[in-house]
């Protein structure tokens, strides 16, 4: 038997209790003795034994009832029943009642060791199985919501690779949570206590990318008035996440390759080599091999970075996850917005489940926020869902109307309010008006005015909230209002 | 102890101190439980008699005092005169305690 276990001996005869204690201590275990079933129950609650050695006949109530009470209290501990030859039947009955094994008196130390060892091992295996099952069935993982099989595979890959330093290459459509996956790799790794530095290669001007990655020294270029550390240095000991890696210019890819190969780099304007310990995680929404074949991505860099691929499934392939995620966002946004929503009506759930979600989780997040901002109630009804999403045929044809978010937006779960409103109609009235007027072509300025005024009406003239819904700066609304008043398009005052 | 095989096993499994402690507890149990049985026999309290017999059977079984254990189990199962049952148990208990004394003496002799 390996390791020290805590064994509770439930025995009212002092000789037997003393013998069991001596043998168990001799086997290296910790021992407590309870002389009554009541005392055993208290010890099981307070001392949390790993196993119980139980005599059936006890002064207050018997061992069978004790096992029942333990089970009723959720105390899952293996019980070995100690019995005399004469009461084998009772032992069998006890096993039917949940004991894992029985041992016949008088017993030798070796027999006790084997019986107890088996019981503890069985318990450990059961715990391991429960843990594996929990892992396989888990609905959440480092910020991800989702229990479908493809996501379980993602969780397992992330978990398996986290402990190593191997580079991870995340692919997936926009809005599937690539940055969340990169963060999960970092947070599950031994590097979790150090920096996670994310850099969006597609959002940084080409001329600045090298400086952003490697830093620069004072005077390296016009405007470089002081030394500045880059992402590589900031991520030392931690994780460097290069998002939209496919957007990186080829000349920069050469420098990155050298950095990946040697762990060293020179800040812009310096010949001094710096060495760092960085774990690389990259992401793209393109097919990296196609990019290599098209000559837009260096093959040598591809093979350096594409060590452990993680492919995030699109939301349309995640089955019931759509509803899990929608409910999660509904609870979150209802709390944030002070709404009473507790769930979706069955038709609303059906509509969400049937939609194609071209913008993936980010789009679903935005749609739910839209609903919460524009409505209130106990549950979300079908007519609260934006019309484009309600269409059962809706993937491709709905893209424009349902307004999937841009690829460059932040990862699901990290979307600021303004971004989250990307897909949101400014107000119910505005949405209806806009849909009704689709056939009518009106000047853009007029449409803009209608939408802004509708958003203001909906929010009770709350300019910051209306601005958030319209995803514009509040100052834009103030400026427009001033201008419209000046032009006599609005009443003054 | 009427079952030298198990006594030898105990001597092998336990340290000298532990064995001495277990046998000393057994001696106390025998004394206490036979006294209880004697009181129960005098009072003709069959229930208390059998409860004490059960305890003594357990103690005897633990140290391998097989004959004493068997006598106790007979007393638990039979509805005979308590005095006669007690007499048999006492005789077996004396024998078992004699065995215990011999084992302890041997232990002391070994230092």
């Amino acid at each position: 038997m390996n390791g020290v276990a805590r064994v509770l001996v439930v025995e009212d005869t002092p000789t037997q209790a003393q013998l069991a204690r001596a043998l168990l201590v001799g086997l290296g275990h910790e021992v407590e003795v309870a002389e009554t079933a009541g005392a055993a129950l208290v010890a099981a609650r307070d001392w949390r034994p790993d196993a119980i050695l139980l005599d059936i006949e006890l002064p207050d109530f018997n061992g069978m009832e004790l096992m029942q009470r333990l089970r009723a209290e959720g105390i899952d501990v293996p019980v070995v029943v100690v019995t005399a030859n004469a009461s084998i039947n009772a032992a069998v009955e006890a096993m039917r009642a949940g004991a894992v094994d029985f041992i016949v008196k008088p017993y030798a130390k070796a027999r006790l060791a084997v019986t107890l060892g088996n019981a503890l091992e069985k318990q450990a295996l059961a715990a391991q199985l429960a843990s594996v099952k929990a892992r396989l069935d888990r609905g959440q993982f480092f910020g991800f919501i989702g229990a479908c099989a493809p996501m379980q595979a993602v969780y397992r890959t992330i978990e398996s690779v986290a402990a190593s330093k191997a580079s991870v290459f995340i692919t997936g459509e926009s809005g599937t949570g690539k940055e969340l996956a990169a963060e999960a790799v970092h947070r599950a790794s031994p590097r979790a206590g150090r920096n996670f530095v994310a850099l969006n290669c597609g959002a940084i001007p080409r001329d600045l990318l090298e400086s952003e990655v490697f830093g620069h020294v004072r005077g390296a270029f016009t405007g470089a008035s002081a030394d500045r550390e880059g992402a590589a240095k900031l991520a030392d000991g931690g994780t460097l996440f290069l998002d939209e890696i496919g957007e990186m210019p080829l000349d920069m890819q050469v420098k990155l390759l050298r950095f990946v190969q040697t762990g060293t780099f020179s800040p812009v304007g310096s010949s001094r080599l710096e060495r760092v310990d960085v774990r690389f995680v990259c992401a793209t929404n393109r097919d990296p091999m196609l990019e290599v074949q098209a000559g837009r991505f260096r093959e040598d860099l591809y093979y350096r970075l594409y060590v452990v691929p993680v492919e995030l499934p699109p939301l349309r392939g995640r089955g019931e996850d759509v509803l899990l995620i929608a409910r999660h966002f509904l609870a979150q946004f209802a709390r944030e917005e002070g709404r009473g929503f507790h769930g979706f009506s069955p038709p609303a759930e059906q509509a969400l489940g049937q939609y194609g979600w071209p913008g993936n989780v980010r789009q679903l997040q935005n749609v739910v926020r839209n609903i919460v901002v524009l409505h209130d109630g106990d549950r979300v009804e079908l007519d609260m869902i934006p019309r484009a999403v309600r269409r059962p045929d809706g993937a491709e044809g709905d893209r424009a109307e349902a307004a999937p978010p841009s690829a460059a937006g932040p990862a699901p779960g990290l979307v600021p309010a303004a971004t989250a409103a990307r897909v949101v109609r400014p107000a119910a009235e505005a949405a209806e008006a806009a849909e009704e007027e689709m056939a009518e072509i009106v000047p853009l300025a007029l449409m803009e005015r209608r939408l802004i005024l509708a958003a203001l009406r909906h929010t009770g003239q709350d300019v910051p909230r209306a601005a958030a819904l319209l995803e514009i700066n509040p100052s834009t609304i103030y400026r427009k209002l001033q201008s419209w008043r000046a032009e006599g398009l609005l009443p003054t005052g | 102890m009427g079952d030298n095989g198990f006594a030898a096993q105990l001597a092998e499994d336990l340290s000298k101190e532990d064995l001495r402690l277990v046998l000393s507890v057994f001696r106390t149990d025998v004394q206490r439980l036979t006294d209880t049985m004697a009181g129960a026999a005098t009072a003709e309290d069959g229930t208390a008699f059998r409860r004490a017999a059960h305890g003594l059977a357990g103690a005897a079984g633990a140290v391998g005092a097989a004959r004493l254990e068997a006598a106790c189990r007979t007393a638990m199962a039979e509805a005979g005169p308590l005095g006669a049952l007690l007499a048999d148990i006492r005789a077996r208990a004396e024998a078992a305690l004699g065995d215990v004394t011999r084992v302890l003496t041997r232990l002391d002799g070994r230092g």
Side-chain angles (χ1 to χ4, degrees), chain A residues 28 60 102 134 156-157 165 223 227 257 269 282 365 369 378 391 398 412 423 431 461 464 476:
Chain A
D60 44 358
F102 67 91
R156 283 197 295 277
T157 305
K165 202 192 160 187
D227 290 1
L257 176 64
C282 304
Q365 181 183 33
R369 187 183 277 279
D378 184 51
R391 288 180 189 160
D398 291 332
V423 74
Q461 308 303 315
T476 304

Short mmCIF file of all heavy atoms in Angstrom, two decimals, chain A residues 28 60 102 134 156-157 165 223 227 257 269 282 365 369 378 391 398 412 423 431 461 464 476:
data_model
loop_
_atom_site.label_atom_id
_atom_site.label_comp_id
_atom_site.label_asym_id
_atom_site.label_seq_id
_atom_site.Cartn_x
_atom_site.Cartn_y
_atom_site.Cartn_z
N GLY A 28 1.88 2.30 8.74
CA GLY A 28 2.20 3.69 8.40
C GLY A 28 1.00 4.61 8.29
O GLY A 28 1.12 5.72 7.77
N ASP A 60 -24.84 1.90 19.92
CA ASP A 60 -25.96 2.82 19.67
C ASP A 60 -26.78 2.42 18.45
O ASP A 60 -27.95 2.11 18.55
CB ASP A 60 -25.48 4.28 19.58
CG ASP A 60 -24.22 4.44 18.75
OD1 ASP A 60 -23.68 3.43 18.25
OD2 ASP A 60 -23.76 5.58 18.58
N PHE A 102 -14.75 -6.94 3.08
CA PHE A 102 -14.82 -7.32 4.49
C PHE A 102 -13.59 -8.13 4.84
O PHE A 102 -12.91 -8.68 3.97
CB PHE A 102 -16.11 -8.08 4.81
CG PHE A 102 -16.22 -9.43 4.16
CD1 PHE A 102 -15.77 -10.56 4.83
CD2 PHE A 102 -16.78 -9.57 2.91
CE1 PHE A 102 -15.87 -11.82 4.24
CE2 PHE A 102 -16.89 -10.81 2.31
CZ PHE A 102 -16.44 -11.94 2.98
N ALA A 134 -15.57 14.43 -15.28
CA ALA A 134 -15.86 15.86 -15.09
C ALA A 134 -15.13 16.67 -16.14
O ALA A 134 -15.65 17.65 -16.68
CB ALA A 134 -15.48 16.30 -13.69
N ARG A 156 -8.77 19.69 -24.06
CA ARG A 156 -7.76 18.64 -23.77
C ARG A 156 -6.42 19.01 -24.39
O ARG A 156 -5.37 18.85 -23.77
CB ARG A 156 -8.25 17.29 -24.29
CG ARG A 156 -9.29 16.63 -23.40
CD ARG A 156 -9.42 15.15 -23.72
NE ARG A 156 -9.93 14.90 -25.05
CZ ARG A 156 -11.23 14.91 -25.37
NH1 ARG A 156 -12.13 15.17 -24.44
NH2 ARG A 156 -11.62 14.68 -26.59
N THR A 157 -6.47 19.52 -25.63
CA THR A 157 -5.21 19.90 -26.28
C THR A 157 -4.53 21.00 -25.49
O THR A 157 -3.32 20.96 -25.23
CB THR A 157 -5.48 20.38 -27.73
OG1 THR A 157 -6.19 19.36 -28.41
CG2 THR A 157 -4.19 20.69 -28.46
N LYS A 165 6.81 23.94 -23.48
CA LYS A 165 7.12 25.26 -24.05
C LYS A 165 6.78 25.27 -25.54
O LYS A 165 7.05 26.24 -26.24
CB LYS A 165 8.60 25.56 -23.83
CG LYS A 165 8.93 27.04 -23.88
CD LYS A 165 10.43 27.29 -23.95
CE LYS A 165 10.71 28.69 -24.50
NZ LYS A 165 12.12 28.93 -24.75
N GLY A 223 11.42 60.28 -33.45
CA GLY A 223 10.37 60.14 -32.45
C GLY A 223 10.72 59.15 -31.35
O GLY A 223 10.02 59.07 -30.34
N ASP A 227 14.49 54.78 -24.69
CA ASP A 227 14.47 53.33 -24.89
C ASP A 227 13.07 52.81 -24.58
O ASP A 227 12.40 53.33 -23.68
CB ASP A 227 15.46 52.64 -23.93
CG ASP A 227 16.90 52.93 -24.30
OD1 ASP A 227 17.12 53.68 -25.28
OD2 ASP A 227 17.80 52.44 -23.60
N LEU A 257 11.55 34.74 -37.23
CA LEU A 257 12.10 33.39 -37.33
C LEU A 257 13.40 33.27 -36.54
O LEU A 257 13.60 32.32 -35.77
CB LEU A 257 12.35 33.02 -38.79
CG LEU A 257 13.02 31.66 -39.04
CD1 LEU A 257 12.13 30.52 -38.57
CD2 LEU A 257 13.38 31.48 -40.51
N GLY A 269 17.62 49.68 -33.60
CA GLY A 269 18.63 50.71 -33.34
C GLY A 269 19.75 50.23 -32.45
O GLY A 269 20.65 51.01 -32.11
N CYS A 282 0.47 31.62 -31.59
CA CYS A 282 0.08 32.42 -32.75
C CYS A 282 -1.36 32.09 -33.14
O CYS A 282 -1.86 31.03 -32.79
CB CYS A 282 0.98 32.12 -33.94
SG CYS A 282 2.70 32.35 -33.56
N GLN A 365 -22.72 37.01 -28.72
CA GLN A 365 -22.56 37.89 -27.56
C GLN A 365 -23.21 39.24 -27.84
O GLN A 365 -23.95 39.78 -27.00
CB GLN A 365 -21.06 38.06 -27.29
CG GLN A 365 -20.74 38.94 -26.11
CD GLN A 365 -19.23 39.11 -25.97
OE1 GLN A 365 -18.50 39.14 -26.97
NE2 GLN A 365 -18.76 39.24 -24.75
N ARG A 369 -26.48 40.94 -26.04
CA ARG A 369 -26.40 42.27 -25.42
C ARG A 369 -27.45 43.20 -26.00
O ARG A 369 -28.11 43.96 -25.29
CB ARG A 369 -25.00 42.89 -25.56
CG ARG A 369 -24.90 44.18 -24.74
CD ARG A 369 -23.58 44.86 -24.89
NE ARG A 369 -22.54 44.34 -24.04
CZ ARG A 369 -22.39 44.67 -22.76
NH1 ARG A 369 -23.24 45.49 -22.18
NH2 ARG A 369 -21.42 44.17 -22.05
N ASP A 378 -39.03 38.65 -17.90
CA ASP A 378 -38.54 37.49 -17.17
C ASP A 378 -37.73 36.59 -18.08
O ASP A 378 -36.75 36.00 -17.70
CB ASP A 378 -39.73 36.73 -16.58
CG ASP A 378 -39.26 35.57 -15.73
OD1 ASP A 378 -38.40 35.78 -14.85
OD2 ASP A 378 -39.73 34.44 -15.96
N ARG A 391 -34.66 34.46 -38.68
CA ARG A 391 -34.92 33.70 -39.91
C ARG A 391 -34.30 32.33 -39.81
O ARG A 391 -33.10 32.21 -39.56
CB ARG A 391 -34.34 34.44 -41.11
CG ARG A 391 -35.13 35.68 -41.44
CD ARG A 391 -34.50 36.36 -42.62
NE ARG A 391 -35.10 37.66 -42.82
CZ ARG A 391 -34.54 38.62 -43.51
NH1 ARG A 391 -33.37 38.44 -44.07
NH2 ARG A 391 -35.14 39.77 -43.67
N ASP A 398 -27.94 36.40 -44.22
CA ASP A 398 -28.19 37.29 -43.10
C ASP A 398 -26.96 38.07 -42.68
O ASP A 398 -27.02 38.88 -41.80
CB ASP A 398 -28.67 36.48 -41.90
CG ASP A 398 -30.06 35.92 -42.15
OD1 ASP A 398 -30.81 36.56 -42.92
OD2 ASP A 398 -30.35 34.88 -41.60
N PRO A 412 -14.17 36.97 -27.67
CA PRO A 412 -15.42 36.85 -26.93
C PRO A 412 -15.15 36.87 -25.43
O PRO A 412 -14.21 36.27 -24.96
CB PRO A 412 -15.94 35.48 -27.36
CG PRO A 412 -15.29 35.22 -28.66
CD PRO A 412 -13.97 35.88 -28.60
N VAL A 423 -23.34 44.96 -33.45
CA VAL A 423 -24.43 44.38 -34.22
C VAL A 423 -25.78 44.96 -33.81
O VAL A 423 -26.79 44.72 -34.42
CB VAL A 423 -24.43 42.86 -34.05
CG1 VAL A 423 -24.95 42.48 -32.67
CG2 VAL A 423 -25.26 42.18 -35.11
N ALA A 431 -34.68 50.30 -35.39
CA ALA A 431 -34.53 49.06 -36.13
C ALA A 431 -35.73 48.82 -37.03
O ALA A 431 -35.58 48.49 -38.21
CB ALA A 431 -34.38 47.90 -35.15
N GLN A 461 -32.84 59.82 -23.74
CA GLN A 461 -31.91 60.93 -24.01
C GLN A 461 -30.58 60.75 -23.27
O GLN A 461 -29.91 61.73 -22.93
CB GLN A 461 -32.54 62.30 -23.65
CG GLN A 461 -33.91 62.56 -24.28
CD GLN A 461 -33.89 62.47 -25.81
OE1 GLN A 461 -32.98 63.00 -26.46
NE2 GLN A 461 -34.87 61.78 -26.39
N PRO A 464 -24.46 59.02 -23.53
CA PRO A 464 -23.41 57.98 -23.51
C PRO A 464 -23.94 56.59 -23.87
O PRO A 464 -23.30 55.84 -24.59
CB PRO A 464 -22.89 58.01 -22.06
CG PRO A 464 -23.19 59.41 -21.60
CD PRO A 464 -24.48 59.78 -22.27
N THR A 476 -19.61 62.74 -30.66
CA THR A 476 -20.19 62.80 -32.01
C THR A 476 -21.66 63.19 -31.92
O THR A 476 -22.17 64.02 -32.69
CB THR A 476 -20.03 61.45 -32.73
OG1 THR A 476 -18.66 61.10 -32.72
CG2 THR A 476 -20.55 61.51 -34.15
#
